[in-house]
C-alpha cells in the first residue's frame, strides 16, 4: 500500500518535470544548422565509452544514473518539419512523430524521475549529441537525395511516390536513429536502458490511477476518459464473474497480478512497442495478425563502419517502423536484464550500467551469471517472454496510449482483438529474427594493450582509412581498455589524429582534417615523428608519472603499393638506428605486398622489434585479415622499465605499476636486456590486490621453461634474477605472464572494467637506469636543446 501511495505521489509530482515535445535547450545545438558531424561508428563500445565517462563524472548509483541518463538525453519521435525553415528563433524540429506519445507516457507516468545530470561538462558537444541520437527512437522519413545509391527503384515507383506525396516526398529507405551495432544484431539502447531503469524502480500503475491523474487526463477529452473508465469497470466485473474470453488473465490473477495494472518494465520494452503497432496499424488494417506489420527489413550502410541504419521496403512493398528489429531485440534483451539486474545490485552496489551492458553484449557474459549474455539470447528468450502476460500488458497500455494519440474511441473488446492479433504476429515473427542475428558464444581471447600509431601510403584515401581505423579500434578494444591509437599522414608525418583513447574523439579529428590525404609514403618523415613521439612519451612516463611499467608503442606502416627510394632507405636506416639506440620498447610492423626494403631499414637491433606482414592486395578487408592474424593475435607484451638516471644529485623514483587482468585472458610483460646488463641482482615483485587468485610466470628464452607462482589474495612474490646477463653477448629479455585462477567478483573501484577482474601491483629494483635526460633535472620546455646529447649518451650507455 505504501509503495502504491508513493507511486501516486510520484505521478502527481512528475508533472513538474513533464516531458515536452519541443527540443530542450541543452539539445538544440544538436539540430541547429544540421548539428555537428557525428562520424563515430554507431557501435556498442562507442556508446558505452560515452556512458562510462558520464558515470565516473556523475558518481551516481545505477538506479539514479540510468533514470537521469534517459531524462537528460533521450527524446523519442523528433522529426524535421515537412517544410523546414530555420531562423534564429525557429528550429524546424520537434517530437511530433508517433514514438513521442509512448515515450511521454513512459516518462511521465511509469518512470517519474529527476534529471541529476545537468552538469555534463565531461562530454563534448559531439559526444552529447551522439549519445542523444543513439538513445532516442526516431526515424528520418523524408527523401534525402541519395536513394538512387542506397535503395534504387524503378522510375514508375519513384513517380508514384511523388504523386502520392502531398508536399515533401517520403524516402523509400528512411534512416532509423537510436540504433547501435552489436555482434548479435542491431539494438535500440534506449529501450535496454529504460528496461534496466524500470527494474530498479519497479512499479505497477493501475489504469484507474492513470485515468484520474491530472498529468494524463489534462490533454484527453472528458468523454473519452469517461468511456474508458466505464469499459474497465465492466471488464473487472466480467473477470470477477469468470468470463471465459479472458481466461489468460484469470490465470494471472491467481498469481497476484492485478487485472487493472500496467508494469513499467513491460511498457519500457515489448508491450510498449506492440501497443504502438495496435494503435497505429490496428484501426487501419483491423484485428488481423497477417496484416499487422511487426519487424523491419533493414541494413547498415557499412558493417565495418556503421553510421546509418536504413529501413527498406518489406514484402508488402511499404516501409513500416512501428516495431523494428532493433526495438524487438532490445525489448527482449531489456526484459532479460530486468529480471536479473536488481539481484546483481544487491550483490555489488557499485555495479555500473556500462558494466552490465558491456558484459551482456560480450562472449564471456555477466560475471554474476555467465549464462546471461546476448549470444545466449535464444534460450533466455523463452523464460523472459510469456505470451499471455504480453497480451494483457499490451492491451492495457494500448488503451491508455490510444486515448492520447487518436481522437476516436476504440471499444475495449476491439482493442483486445487487435492486441491479441499483434501479439500473434510478434510471436510468429520472433523466431526468425532471433535466428537471423544469432551468433554462437566464443571463447575469450587476448587483446594487446598498446599505443598504436598508424601510417598509410597513397593506396588508401579518406574512407578506406576510416574503415580500417574503425576496425582496428574495435579489435584493440580502444573504448574499453587503456590502449590508444593515433594516425599519421603517410607523406608529411604530421598528425591527422594524435594518440586517442576513444573512437568518438578519433573520428572528430578525422572530420576536422582538411589537408589532402597522402599520395605516397615517406618513411623518413614518419620515423622523425615517431622519434619525437617516443621521446615525449618516455619523458612523460619516467619523469612525470614515475612509471615502472607501461604500454609498448607499436608503429604500423601500411604500404600496399609504395616502395622506398635508395635515399629514403638510407635516411630511414639512420633514423631507425637513433630510435633503437634510445627507445627499447617500440615495435615496428610493416604491411606491404613487397617487404624487401622494409626488412633492410633495421639491421642493427634484430632482437624482437619487427613484424613483417605480406599483403595480397590493397583492399581493406585483406589488410584487416592479415593484421588481425599477425598483429592483434601476436601477444605484444607491456614493458617493464628502469628509472631515469640520477643527474646532479637528483634521484628519480618509480611508483608501483597497477594493472588488472580479466578471466580467460593473459597479460604479458617484458624487460629489455638493456635494463639487465651490468647488474648483479634484479628483483621483480608482484602483489595481489585481493580480488581473486592469480598465477604469475617468468621465463627467459623459450616460453616452455617457466617458473610460476600462485598468489592468493594480498600475497606477494618476488622473482630474483642473479647475474641476469652471463656475458655481454648473451642477455635474453625476461618475460612475465599473469593469468587468473579464480575471482571473487569483487572489483568495485572506478577503474574496474568488470567486477570479476583481478588487480595486482608490479614493483622492481636493481634495474640499470635509463639516461634520457642528459642535463635537465626536470621536464621543461628546454628539453629539445638536449636531444642530440641525450641520444649520444644513450648510445654510449647501450654499448658499454
Amino acid at each position: 500500500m505504501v509503495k502504491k501511495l508513493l507511486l501516486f505521489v510520484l505521478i502527481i509530482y512528475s508533472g513538474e518535470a513533464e516531458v515536452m515535445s519541443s527540443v530542450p535547450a541543452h539539445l538544440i545545438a544538436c539540430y541547429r544548422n544540421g548539428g555537428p558531424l557525428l562520424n563515430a561508428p554507431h557501435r556498442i563500445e562507442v556508446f558505452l565509452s560515452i556512458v562510462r565517462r558520464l558515470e565516473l563524472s556523475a558518481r551516481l548509483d545505477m538506479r539514479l544514473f540510468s533514470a537521469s541518463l534517459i531524462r537528460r538525453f533521450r527524446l523519442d519521435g523528433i522529426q524535421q518539419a515537412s517544410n523546414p525553415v530555420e531562423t534564429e528563433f525557429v528550429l524546424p524540429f520537434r517530437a511530433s512523430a508517433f514514438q513521442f506519445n509512448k515515450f511521454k507516457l513512459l516518462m511521465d507516468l511509469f518512470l517519474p524521475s529527476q534529471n541529476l545530470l545537468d552538469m555534463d561538462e565531461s562530454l563534448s558537444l559531439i559526444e552529447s549529441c551522439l549519445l542523444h541520437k543513439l538513445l532516442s527512437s526516431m526515424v528520418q522519413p523524408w527523401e534525402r537525395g541519395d536513394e538512387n545509391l542506397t535503395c534504387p527503384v524503378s522510375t514508375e515507383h519513384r513517380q508514384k511516390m511523388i504523386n502520392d506525396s502531398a508536399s515533401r516526398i517520403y524516402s523509400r529507405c528512411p534512416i532509423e536513429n537510436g540504433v547501435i551495432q552489436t555482434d548479435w544484431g542491431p539494438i535500440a539502447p534506449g529501450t535496454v536502458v529504460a528496461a534496466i531503469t524500470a527494474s530498479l524502480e519497479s512499479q505497477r500503475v493501475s489504469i484507474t490511477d492513470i485515468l484520474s491523474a491530472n498529468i494524463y487526463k489534462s490533454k484527453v477529452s472528458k468523454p473519452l476518459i469517461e468511456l474508458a473508465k466505464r469499459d474497465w469497470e465492466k471488464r473487472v466485473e466480467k473477470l470477477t464473474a469468470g468470463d471465459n474470453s479472458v481466461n489468460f488473465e484469470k490465470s494471472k490473477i491467481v498469481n497476484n497480478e492485478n487485472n487493472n495494472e500496467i508494469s513499467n518494465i513491460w511498457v519500457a520494452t515489448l508491450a510498449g512497442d506492440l501497443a504502438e503497432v495496435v494503435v497505429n496499424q490496428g484501426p487501419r488494417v483491423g484485428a488481423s495478425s497477417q496484416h499487422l506489420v511487426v519487424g523491419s527489413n533493414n541494413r547498415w550502410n557499412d558493417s565495418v563502419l556503421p553510421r546509418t541504419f536504413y529501413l527498406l521496403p518489406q514484402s508488402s512493398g511499404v516501409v513500416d517502423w512501428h516495431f523494428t528489429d532493433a526495438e524487438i531485440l532490445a525489448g527482449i534483451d531489456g526484459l532479460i536484464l530486468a529480471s536479473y539486474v536488481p539481484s546483481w545490485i544487491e550483490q555489488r552496489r557499485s555495479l555500473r550500467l556500462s558494466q552490465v551492458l558491456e558484459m551482456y553484449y560480450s562472449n564471456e557474459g555477466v560475471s554474476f551469471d555467465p549464462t546471461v549474455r546476448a549470444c545466449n539470447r535464444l534460450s533466455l528468450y523463452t523464460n523472459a517472454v510469456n505470451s499471455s502476460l504480453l497480451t494483457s500488458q499490451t492491451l492495457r497500455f494500448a488503451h491508455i496510449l490510444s486515448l492520447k494519440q487518436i481522437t476516436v474511441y476504440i471499444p475495449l473488446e476491439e482493442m483486445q482483438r487487435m492486441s491479441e492479433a499483434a501479439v500473434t504476429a510478434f510471436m510468429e515473427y520472433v523466431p526468425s529474427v532471433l535466428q537471423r542475428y544469432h551468433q554462437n558464444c566464443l571463447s575469450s581471447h587476448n587483446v594487446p594493450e598498446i599505443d598504436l600509431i598508424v601510417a598509410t601510403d597513397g593506396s588508401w584515401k579518406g574512407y578506406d582509412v576510416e574503415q580500417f581505423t574503425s576496425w582496428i579500434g574495435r579489435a584493440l578494444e580502444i573504448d574499453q581498455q587503456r590502449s590508444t591509437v593515433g594516425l599519421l599522414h603517410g607523406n608529411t608525418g604530421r598528425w591527422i589524429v594524435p594518440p586517442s583513447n576513444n573512437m568518438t574523439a578519433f573520428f572528430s579529428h578525422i572530420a576536422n582534417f582538411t589537408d589532402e590525404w597522402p599520395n605516397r609514403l615517406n618513411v623518413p618523415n614518419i620515423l622523425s615523428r615517431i622519434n619525437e613521439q617516443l621521446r615525449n612519451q618516455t619523458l612523460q612516463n619516467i619523469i612525470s608519472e614515475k612509471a615502472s611499467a607501461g604500454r609498448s608503442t607499436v608503429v604500423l606502416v601500411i604500404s600496399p603499393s609504395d616502395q622506398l627510394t635508395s635515399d629514403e632507405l638510407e635516411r630511414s636506416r639512420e633514423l631507425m638506428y637513433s630510435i633503437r639506440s634510445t627507445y627499447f620498447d617500440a615495435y615496428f610492423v610493416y604491411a606491404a605486398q613487397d617487404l624487401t626494403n622494409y626488412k633492410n631499414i633495421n639491421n642493427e637491433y634484430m632482437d624482437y622489434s619487427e613484424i613483417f606482414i605480406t599483403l595480397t592486395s590493397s583492399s581493406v578487408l585483406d589488410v584487416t585479415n592479415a593484421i588481425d592474424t599477425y598483429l592483434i593475435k601476436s601477444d605484444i607484451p607491456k614493458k617493464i622499465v628502469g628509472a631515469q638516471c640520477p643527474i646532479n644529485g637528483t634521484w628519480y623514483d618509480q611508483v608501483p605499476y597497477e594493472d588488472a587482468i580479466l578471466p580467460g585472458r593473459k597479460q604479458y610483460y617484458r624487460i629489455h636486456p638493456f635494463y639487465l646488463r651490468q647488474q648483479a641482482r634484479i628483483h621483480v615483485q608482484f602483489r595481489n590486490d585481493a580480488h581473486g587468485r592469480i598465477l604469475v610466470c617468468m621465463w627467459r628464452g623459450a616460453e616452455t621453461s617457466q617458473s610460476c607462482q600462485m598468489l592468493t589474495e594480498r600475497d606477494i612474490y618476488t622473482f630474483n634474477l642473479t647475474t641476469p646477463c652471463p656475458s655481454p653477448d648473451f642477455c635474453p629479455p625476461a618475460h612475465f605472464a599473469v593469468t587468473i585462477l579464480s575471482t571473487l567478483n569483487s572489483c568495485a573501484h572506478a577503474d574496474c572494467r568488470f567486477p570479476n577482474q583481478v588487480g595486482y601491483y608490479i614493483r622492481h629494483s636493481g634495474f640499470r637506469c635509463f639516461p634520457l635526460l642528459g642535463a635537465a633535472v626536470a621536464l621543461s620546455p628546454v628539453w629539445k636543446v638536449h636531444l642530440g646529447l641525450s641520444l649520444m649518451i644513450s648510445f654510449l650507455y647501450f654499448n658499454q
Side-chain angles (χ1 to χ4, degrees):
M1 180 65 184
V2 174
K3 190 171 185 179
K4 191 170 182 179
L5 178 61
L6 174 62
L7 173 61
F8 191 70
V9 171
L10 284 173
I11 290 176
I12 297 174
Y13 167 78
S14 67
E16 299 177 13
E18 181 180 358
V19 174
M20 308 302 292
S21 62
S22 58
V23 176
H26 66 279
L27 295 177
I28 286 177
C30 299
Y31 295 91
R32 179 70 70 188
N33 298 319
L37 190 61
L38 307 178
N39 259 2
H42 292 192
R43 289 200 303 254
I44 179 72
E45 68 273 11
V46 174
F47 168 73
L48 291 180
S49 72
I50 304 174
V51 172
R52 188 179 299 112
R53 203 166 311 125
L54 264 181
E55 283 175 326
L56 298 178
S57 173
R59 299 183 180 275
L60 300 171
D61 63 30
M62 194 195 303
R63 181 181 65 85
L64 293 174
F65 176 80
S66 59
S68 299
L69 180 68
I70 295 176
R71 190 162 286 276
R72 175 73 174 175
F73 289 100
R74 183 177 173 183
L75 181 57
D76 291 357
I78 294 180
Q79 188 170 282
Q80 188 181 38
S82 58
N83 294 301
V85 176
E86 182 172 333
T87 69
E88 181 182 355
F89 306 103
V90 176
L91 187 71
F93 290 91
R94 65 188 296 268
S96 57
F98 71 89
Q99 298 98 326
F100 174 71
N101 300 297
K102 182 197 75 173
F103 176 71
K104 179 174 173 58
L105 290 176
L106 174 66
M107 299 306 295
D108 288 348
L109 300 177
F110 298 94
L111 291 179
S113 62
Q114 291 178 285
N115 171 26
L116 302 177
L117 294 175
D118 283 335
M119 305 298 289
D120 57 351
E121 289 88 354
S122 58
L123 302 184
S124 67
L125 174 64
I126 288 176
E127 289 168 331
S128 294
C129 293
L130 182 59
L131 184 59
H132 160 62
K133 292 292 181 68
L134 296 181
L135 279 171
S136 304
S137 175
M138 61 182 85
V139 171
Q140 301 176 31
W142 309 117
E143 189 173 65
R144 304 174 301 276
D146 64 353
E147 282 79 3
N148 286 335
L149 295 176
T150 56
C151 48
V153 296
S154 66
T155 304
E156 293 78 9
H157 189 178
R158 158 77 175 157
Q159 189 59 48
K160 183 179 184 301
M161 294 177 68
I162 295 174
N163 295 337
D164 292 344
S165 174
S167 55
R168 193 170 177 183
I169 303 172
Y170 283 94
S171 173
R172 52 186 177 267
C173 51
I175 294 173
E176 182 181 5
N177 289 330
V179 180
I180 57 176
Q181 182 196 66
T182 75
D183 286 341
W184 299 276
I187 65 160
T191 297
V192 183
V193 174
I196 292 173
T197 304
S199 74
L200 296 175
E201 196 63 64
S202 180
Q203 305 287 354
R204 292 183 176 274
V205 187
S206 76
I207 293 176
T208 304
D209 286 346
I210 293 173
L211 294 174
S212 301
N214 289 332
I215 194 172
Y216 177 81
K217 68 179 184 179
S218 62
K219 295 182 181 179
V220 180
S221 69
K222 188 174 181 180
L224 290 182
I225 292 289
E226 296 302 322
L227 284 171
K229 285 182 177 180
R230 284 199 296 270
D231 257 0
W232 279 106
E233 288 172 359
K234 292 178 182 177
R235 184 172 184 79
V236 172
E237 291 174 1
K238 288 182 179 181
L239 287 169
T240 304
D243 188 346
N244 291 330
S245 66
V246 286
N247 281 336
F248 67 87
E249 292 208 343
K250 285 174 62 181
S251 66
K252 291 302 171 185
I253 294 173
V254 175
N255 292 321
N256 298 320
E257 187 205 358
N258 189 309
N259 60 78
N260 193 28
E261 291 180 342
I262 307 174
S263 162
N264 63 345
I265 296 175
W266 282 100
V267 171
T269 56
L270 299 181
D273 285 309
L274 272 176
E276 290 183 317
V277 174
V278 172
V279 172
N280 289 282
Q281 297 182 36
R284 173 164 46 91
V285 302
S288 168
S289 61
Q290 290 78 25
H291 295 120
L292 291 171
V293 177
V294 172
S296 57
N297 181 18
N298 47 68
R299 66 173 175 83
W300 287 104
N301 65 301
D302 186 333
S303 60
V304 177
L305 184 53
R307 288 170 170 163
T308 309
F309 195 63
Y310 296 111
L311 295 174
L312 307 172
Q314 302 188 73
S315 56
S316 61
V318 299
V319 179
D320 212 327
W321 54 81
H322 295 119
F323 199 7
T324 65
D325 284 0
E327 292 171 327
I328 290 173
L329 295 178
I332 293 171
D333 292 342
L335 280 176
I336 292 169
L337 288 170
S339 64
Y340 289 96
V341 168
S343 64
W344 294 339
I345 290 291
E346 290 299 318
Q347 299 177 58
R348 184 64 52 206
R349 291 287 180 181
S350 60
L351 189 63
R352 300 193 299 267
L353 174 67
S354 63
Q355 292 175 319
V356 170
L357 294 178
E358 186 183 347
M359 288 189 290
Y360 180 78
Y361 293 105
S362 72
N363 284 291
E364 293 78 16
V366 180
S367 61
F368 303 100
D369 188 344
T371 63
V372 182
R373 46 186 173 171
C375 57
N376 203 27
R377 185 190 282 142
L378 273 170
S379 58
L380 294 169
Y381 161 76
T382 304
N383 294 326
V385 180
N386 177 292
S387 61
S388 296
L389 185 54
L390 177 57
T391 303
S392 65
Q393 290 291 309
T394 299
L395 165 63
R396 295 168 193 174
F397 185 66
H399 196 232
I400 294 299
L401 179 63
S402 68
L403 298 179
K404 296 287 284 187
Q405 188 168 331
I406 56 181
T407 56
V408 177
Y409 184 75
I410 301 176
L412 200 53
E413 291 79 5
E414 181 60 22
M415 187 71 75
Q416 178 176 329
R417 287 192 289 271
M418 291 189 298
S419 298
E420 290 172 346
V423 171
T424 299
F426 171 79
M427 298 302 290
E428 290 175 350
Y429 179 75
V430 161
S432 64
V433 77
L434 290 178
Q435 192 60 51
R436 184 183 316 139
Y437 297 111
H438 174 70
Q439 295 287 335
N440 289 328
C441 303
L442 303 175
S443 58
S444 183
H445 65 279
N446 279 356
V447 177
E449 192 172 313
I450 60 178
D451 292 322
L452 179 70
I453 300 173
V454 180
T456 65
D457 68 9
S459 302
W460 287 355
K461 301 304 178 186
Y463 193 76
D464 294 322
V465 175
E466 290 183 71
Q467 279 187 311
F468 175 78
T469 52
S470 173
W471 170 82
I472 205 161
R474 183 185 184 201
L476 289 175
E477 299 180 350
I478 293 295
D479 284 301
Q480 298 105 311
Q481 293 202 136
R482 288 170 288 185
S483 294
T484 65
V485 59
L487 179 62
L488 287 178
H489 193 286
N491 191 5
T492 66
R494 294 174 55 193
W495 289 113
I496 297 175
V497 182
S500 174
N501 61 1
N502 78 82
M503 298 308 289
T504 308
F506 187 96
F507 278 90
S508 295
H509 279 287
I510 289 184
N512 292 328
F513 177 71
T514 57
D515 294 351
E516 291 290 328
W517 287 91
N519 55 8
R520 66 178 306 274
L521 190 72
N522 188 311
V523 177
N525 285 348
I526 294 171
L527 293 181
S528 295
R529 179 66 65 180
I530 296 301
N531 196 359
E532 176 186 326
Q533 174 64 18
L534 288 171
R535 180 177 177 82
N536 291 342
Q537 189 62 55
T538 305
L539 283 168
Q540 178 72 21
N541 289 343
I542 70 173
I543 304 300
S544 299
E545 298 175 2
K546 302 179 180 180
S548 53
R551 299 183 297 269
S552 297
T553 297
V554 177
V555 181
L556 172 59
V557 178
I558 301 175
S559 181
S561 59
D562 278 3
Q563 284 294 311
L564 287 77
T565 66
S566 57
D567 288 343
E568 289 175 339
L569 177 59
E570 188 59 34
R571 288 174 55 210
S572 297
R573 293 179 65 179
E574 292 172 0
L575 286 163
M576 183 62 74
Y577 183 83
S578 173
I579 291 171
R580 286 300 182 206
S581 62
T582 310
Y583 310 108
F584 317 115
D585 293 289
Y587 291 74
F588 286 81
V589 182
Y590 303 99
Q593 294 188 68
D594 184 352
L595 291 164
T596 305
N597 284 341
Y598 295 103
K599 290 182 178 179
N600 291 324
I601 292 177
N602 173 28
N603 56 8
E604 296 289 336
Y605 304 99
M606 300 296 289
D607 56 345
Y608 67 92
S609 56
E610 270 76 39
I611 299 175
F612 299 98
I613 302 175
T614 302
L615 301 178
T616 57
S617 77
S618 62
S619 77
V620 175
L621 179 60
D622 287 344
V623 173
T624 56
N625 287 338
I627 289 175
D628 182 54
T629 301
Y630 297 106
L631 172 59
I632 303 300
K633 297 176 181 175
S634 62
D635 294 326
I636 291 178
K638 290 186 175 181
K639 58 186 179 183
I640 301 178
V641 298
Q644 162 67 34
C645 291
I647 301 173
N648 298 331
T650 300
W651 288 79
Y652 294 87
D653 297 325
Q654 289 182 300
V655 297
Y657 182 71
E658 183 179 5
D659 211 343
I661 186 72
L662 292 171
R665 298 194 179 188
K666 182 177 289 188
Q667 183 60 66
Y668 292 94
Y669 302 89
R670 191 184 70 93
I671 306 173
H672 188 275
F674 172 86
Y675 300 106
L676 306 176
R677 287 193 175 96
Q678 304 173 0
Q679 306 304 299
R681 192 175 180 85
I682 299 289
H683 308 278
V684 182
Q685 182 188 93
F686 288 80
R687 174 167 66 86
N688 192 325
D689 197 26
H691 298 138
R693 293 184 304 133
I694 60 175
L695 182 69
V696 184
C697 296
M698 187 198 79
W699 70 95
R700 302 187 70 188
E703 189 174 348
T704 54
S705 57
Q706 295 186 0
S707 170
C708 297
Q709 180 67 34
M710 180 188 74
L711 276 68
T712 59
E713 295 78 24
R714 301 291 183 190
D715 269 2
I716 297 175
Y717 184 78
T718 302
F719 292 91
N720 298 309
L721 286 76
T722 304
T723 316
C725 295
S727 71
D729 298 326
F730 181 70
C731 189
H735 295 272
F736 299 86
V738 180
T739 54
I740 287 181
L741 296 176
S742 65
T743 174
L744 298 177
N745 216 31
S746 61
C747 192
H749 56 77
D751 288 336
C752 295
R753 180 172 172 182
F754 299 142
N756 61 348
Q757 76 179 40
V758 177
Y760 52 90
Y761 291 88
I762 302 173
R763 66 186 309 165
H764 55 72
S765 61
F767 276 39
R768 185 183 183 185
C769 66
F770 185 74
L772 182 60
L773 292 182
V777 296
L779 185 60
S780 70
V782 300
W783 64 264
K784 294 183 179 179
V785 176
H786 306 287
L787 175 59
L789 179 60
S790 300
L791 294 176
M792 181 182 69
I793 294 175
S794 300
F795 174 74
L796 293 175
Y797 266 76
F798 187 84
N799 289 279
Q800 286 181 358

